[in-house]
Amino acid sequence: MEESSTIEQVYRGTFVHSTPQTPLLILEDALLGVNTHGTIAFIGEGKHVKRLSQDFKFSLSDVKQMAQHEFFMPGMVDTHIHAPQYSYAGTALDLPLLQWLNKYTFPVEAHFADLKFAQQIYNQVVKRTLRNGTTTACYFATIHTDASLLLGQIANDLGQRALVGKVCMDRNDSAKTYKETSQESQEETLRFIKELLEKKYPRVSPVVTPRFALSCTEPLLGQLGAIAKNNNIHIQSHISETVDEVNVVKELFPDSKSYTDVYNKHNLLTDKTVMAHGCYLSDEELTLFRQTGASLAHCPNSNVSLCSGLLDVRNVLKHKVKIGLGTDVAGGYSASILDAARRALETSKVLTIQNPGYKTLTFEEVFRLATLGGSQALSLDKQTGNFEVGKDFDALRVNVAAPGGPIDLIKDEHPKVLLEKFLNLGDDRNIVEVFVAGKKVVPFTEKTQE
């Protein structure tokens, strides 16, 4: 085996992850090796350490033993976050979506023509999400190409796996200073894709980003669908977030059968498409998602904070549609996928209160949404999402008993209890190390602190 002489890290202890069949798998006293490419070379049992060390040519003294209250879990995936809106996260939660965009969002996003301002905010949001355990993020930027390229550079420099989208909008009557012409949007999207790909960042890719059907004319939607197809790249947008939005889409696109049909007609529903929200999708629309391979980003904090709606995740899963979690900063006030996981459980419980026969999501299912589900939603599950040989080692080292942390342990607990406590009570103090493709990206080095 060529890889056998290139083992760089070996960890022994508890690993928790998901598979498509099982929401939670716990591997106790496991041994995991990472090679110099940052991929998982082997997973075995701790008791076989001697044989594994001979097979994979590592020294027993290289094995890093994890403590009793520690475990490794896959890095978390944020399938929908607006990087520029981080500048006002935690405020401005008093209006419904369409008024919220006009009063708060568009004026703030217009500032990102200023690269110095963009540098400051984008540095902060990438660092914050990494500290919170987000190893992969799917970002909306703004309509500004150079600032969007800067976000890609910052994600690359700090080591985060990222999809970055330059926002496209050629229709915006409410904020005339914040829109493009159709031609500008098309040309700048092509420039953004070309320049980002030329950088050859190993884990940062462009994503075609029509803001949503309301802010794009039909010709632009068609052009963006063609650009995504010709370049074989990801697509992201919003869908069916609020009742008002769905109604306006009906008025603007009278020839389309549904909101989903608008995107589908313009080749924007593919197996590399992720659509945020989807609170009001019909079963027929979910079937179209399933047929095209498109996925949903569930953003429960935002859905409640802006009084948008409640997504029935159980119904999405029933339709076999790929789904992950999104923070949707700043409609969602927290930049942590742990928060998204908690709100996803709460939303599911609200649906159960409304309908006692409803099958509430389990914490194990939500754990899968935060990790493997997110990687599936972004069509990155061949590279990341769980601990399988050949996948990149994107991982969090969690210490549930971290000194000064938010969790008090009463006695020695089983790993499943430790995971549940972390998901419900934990925060960045418990996330002691973050790895992306085998590289330790948190704690930050002196270079990344600057």
Side-chain angles (χ1 to χ4, degrees):
M1 278 183 68
E2 188 191 351
E3 296 293 3
S4 62
S5 60
T6 57
I7 297 299
E8 197 168 56
Q9 305 160 61
V10 183
Y11 297 98
R12 183 173 182 174
T14 301
F15 291 79
V16 299
H17 72 146
S18 306
T19 68
Q21 297 75 32
T22 312
L24 175 61
L25 271 181
I26 297 169
L27 311 173
E28 290 189 76
D29 191 28
L31 203 68
L32 183 144
V34 183
N35 63 29
T36 44
H37 303 298
T39 56
I40 299 168
F42 67 83
I43 304 166
E45 294 178 48
K47 64 185 180 190
H48 298 147
V49 63
K50 271 196 174 152
R51 178 172 59 72
L52 287 163
S53 73
Q54 288 160 0
D55 290 350
F56 290 93
K57 299 188 172 42
F58 62 87
S59 162
L60 292 178
S61 61
D62 293 338
V63 177
K64 296 184 181 111
Q65 176 71 48
M66 284 138 64
Q68 191 178 7
H69 300 306
E70 289 186 317
F71 58 83
F72 267 110
M73 64 175 274
M76 291 185 281
V77 181
D78 192 338
T79 59
H80 183 71
I81 174 170
H82 292 264
Q85 294 175 18
Y86 185 67
S87 56
Y88 66 94
T91 68
L93 298 167
D94 58 333
L95 290 172
L97 174 71
L98 299 180
Q99 291 145 272
W100 177 84
L101 286 169
N102 297 337
K103 182 171 177 182
Y104 303 115
T105 305
F106 297 146
V108 166
E109 290 192 12
H111 284 310
F112 281 75
D114 176 354
L115 287 180
K116 200 171 172 197
F117 180 66
Q119 170 97 32
Q120 180 199 341
I121 303 304
Y122 288 164
N123 244 314
Q124 287 175 328
V125 69
V126 175
K127 283 186 173 177
R128 177 64 62 191
T129 52
L130 276 172
R131 275 201 301 268
N132 285 336
T134 299
T135 52
T136 301
C138 189
Y139 289 113
F140 270 63
T142 62
I143 65 174
H144 312 101
T145 303
D146 292 330
S148 304
L149 288 165
L150 182 61
L151 174 57
Q153 181 198 319
I154 289 167
N156 175 71
D157 290 351
L158 290 167
Q160 191 172 52
R161 190 183 299 276
L163 293 169
V164 177
K166 182 207 92 65
V167 171
C168 298
M169 47 196 298
D170 65 344
R171 176 158 48 189
N172 190 4
D173 296 334
S174 52
K176 293 185 171 47
T177 54
Y178 189 58
K179 71 172 179 182
E180 317 159 286
T181 66
S182 295
Q183 189 166 355
E184 274 171 347
S185 193
Q186 186 183 0
E187 287 172 0
E188 288 300 297
T189 295
L190 286 167
R191 176 166 83 87
F192 171 71
I193 292 166
K194 180 173 177 286
E195 293 192 17
L196 189 57
L197 291 175
E198 279 172 357
K199 301 283 188 189
K200 293 194 164 44
Y201 297 141
R203 283 170 286 282
V204 178
S205 311
V207 47
V208 168
T209 306
R211 184 174 210 111
F212 60 162
L214 268 64
S215 63
C216 298
T217 58
E218 291 217 43
L220 179 58
L221 288 173
Q223 288 158 358
L224 294 175
I227 288 170
K229 189 176 180 184
N230 294 339
N231 294 277
N232 186 27
I233 57 176
H234 284 78
I235 298 163
Q236 65 177 346
S237 193
H238 299 86
I239 196 165
S240 299
E241 185 173 354
T242 71
V243 173
D244 286 351
E245 174 205 8
V246 173
N247 290 335
V248 177
V249 168
K250 272 184 195 153
E251 289 166 25
L252 289 175
F253 301 90
D255 298 336
S256 292
K257 290 201 291 275
S258 65
Y259 200 155
T260 304
D261 188 42
V262 173
Y263 290 128
N264 196 39
K265 265 186 179 163
H266 297 99
N267 297 315
L268 289 164
L269 277 195
T270 74
D271 61 0
K272 292 175 102 171
T273 295
V274 58
M275 290 280 170
H277 304 295
C279 299
Y280 299 97
L281 293 174
S282 64
D283 284 353
E284 195 180 0
E285 287 176 282
L286 286 170
T287 299
L288 196 48
F289 265 74
R290 169 68 180 160
Q291 287 166 348
T292 55
S295 61
L296 281 172
H298 178 33
C299 307
N301 186 319
S302 168
N303 290 343
V304 172
S305 291
L306 302 183
C307 298
S308 299
L310 304 170
L311 177 65
D312 183 345
V313 172
R314 182 67 68 204
N315 192 40
V316 174
L317 294 171
K318 194 175 86 183
H319 281 83
K320 296 188 165 52
V321 172
K322 298 179 294 184
I323 182 167
L325 298 179
T327 58
D328 196 23
V329 164
Y333 53 76
S334 169
S336 170
I337 287 292
L338 284 173
D339 171 86
R342 290 162 198 169
R343 306 282 162 245
L345 274 174
E346 282 176 11
T347 295
S348 183
K349 288 174 181 178
V350 169
L351 292 171
T352 306
I353 293 167
Q354 293 174 346
N355 169 17
Y358 186 77
K359 192 179 171 203
T360 315
L361 293 173
T362 64
F363 92 84
E364 293 94 336
E365 287 177 302
V366 171
F367 169 73
R368 178 164 59 185
L369 290 180
T371 53
L372 182 62
S375 70
Q376 290 170 332
L378 299 181
S379 302
L380 293 172
D381 48 314
K382 284 193 169 60
Q383 285 95 49
T384 185
N386 60 3
F387 298 131
E388 282 182 10
V389 171
K391 286 194 182 184
D392 285 359
F393 186 62
D394 288 10
L396 313 181
R397 184 170 176 164
V398 175
N399 180 359
V400 184
I407 303 170
D408 292 317
L409 290 180
I410 312 308
K411 58 184 193 310
D412 292 340
E413 300 282 15
H414 184 266
K416 185 174 174 181
V417 175
L418 294 179
L419 175 63
E420 189 173 13
K421 287 200 167 194
F422 170 65
L423 288 179
N424 282 319
L425 299 168
D427 62 24
D428 57 343
R429 289 169 288 184
N430 300 106
I431 301 170
V432 288
E433 291 177 329
V434 178
F435 297 83
V436 178
K439 180 176 178 238
K440 191 190 292 186
V441 294
V442 175
F444 300 118
T445 62
E446 279 175 34
K447 190 179 165 210
T448 55
Q449 292 289 12
E450 289 160 17

